Structure formats: C-alpha cells, structure tokens
C-alpha cells in the first residue's frame, strides 16, 4: 500500500528547519485539503501538536505527518517536494488525483470532489 503523502528528503529537511526556526521541533506536520482557491480545493500545511480522532499518522525522514481520514482519499499518493532556485525556494505538490489545477499550483480539483471555487 502506498503512502497517502510522500515527502522528498529535500521537503523533509526544509520542514524540519522551519520547525526549529519557529520553536516547533516537537510538532507534527498536518497536510490538509480545504475548499477554496481558483479551482475549488486548496492544500494546507501547518504544525500540529495533537492527533485528532480520525487522523492518520505517517512518519517519513524522522518527521511525523498527520492527515485526516476525510482528506486521505483526495491526497492519496501526493508527493511534496522542496525546490531551490536563484529566485528562492518553495514547496511543490504533485497530486495524482488532481484532474485540473490553476497556475498557482496550490488549487486543484479531483474527479470526485469539485470543492468551492473562488475568484483569484
């Protein structure tokens, strides 16, 4: 069985650095989906200290990730990477379930979930 969310080593290292920088070294990373964005659904990432009922906990590169069971089917197989360029760095998200996305790369729609599109 594949992981719901797959972190690259570069993404994990960047997240760990951010956790240290913000005194969140003991936190977990919550990856979520919410309605909104140009296409209808948007990704969310943030620090979490408690596992909620219905959460799935994953561990990759000694980093704990939390995904709600509601979001798991939408995120299944999603790869999160971190890329550095001369213009700066940023996270990239590759979701095999997304059938359309907008130019910003953080808003998408799946075949079974259209979300709630908003104006950009």
């Amino acid at each position: 069985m594949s992981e719901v969310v797959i972190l690259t080593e570069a993404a994990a290292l960047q997240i760990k650095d951010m956790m240290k920088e913000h005194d969140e070294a003991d936190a977990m990373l919550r990856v979520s989906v919410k309605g909104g964005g140009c296409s209808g659904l948007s990704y969310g990432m943030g620090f979490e200290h408690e596992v909620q009922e219905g959460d799935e906990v994953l561990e990759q590169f000694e980093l704990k990730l939390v995904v709600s069971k509601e979001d798991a089917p939408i995120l299944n197989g999603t790869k999160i990477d971190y890329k550095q360029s001369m213009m700066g760095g940023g996270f990239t998200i590759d979701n095999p379930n997304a059938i359309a996305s907008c130019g910003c790369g953080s808003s998408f729609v799946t075949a079974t979930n259209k979300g709630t599109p908003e104006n950009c």
Side-chain angles (χ1 to χ4, degrees):
M1 183 174 172
S2 66
E3 295 281 353
V4 173
V5 174
I6 303 152
L7 283 183
T8 65
E9 186 173 14
L13 290 172
Q14 182 64 30
I15 293 163
K16 286 179 184 180
D17 285 348
M18 292 170 75
M19 288 175 156
K20 287 179 191 169
E21 188 177 308
H22 296 284
D23 293 324
E24 295 281 359
D26 295 329
M28 299 172 280
L29 176 70
R30 179 173 293 279
V31 181
S32 61
V33 174
K34 57 186 174 184
C38 313
S39 298
L41 297 170
S42 295
Y43 299 107
M45 291 195 306
F47 301 134
E48 182 71 61
H49 292 277
E50 294 181 23
V51 176
Q52 306 296 319
E53 186 176 335
D55 281 345
E56 185 171 337
V57 180
L58 315 166
E59 188 166 341
Q60 298 171 25
F61 299 104
E62 299 177 2
L63 178 66
K64 288 188 179 179
L65 291 87
V66 182
V67 177
S68 76
K69 290 199 190 289
E70 285 181 6
D71 293 344
I74 298 170
L75 293 170
N76 192 35
T78 295
K79 181 178 177 182
I80 300 174
D81 194 6
Y82 184 82
K83 300 205 183 281
Q84 188 73 38
S85 72
M86 292 183 67
M87 298 295 291
F91 290 99
T92 61
I93 300 173
D94 180 21
N95 185 340
N97 304 302
I99 59 170
S101 62
C102 71
C104 66
S106 64
S107 181
F108 67 103
V109 64
T110 68
T112 58
N113 196 322
K114 305 294 185 217
T116 53
E118 299 173 348
N119 293 330
C120 290

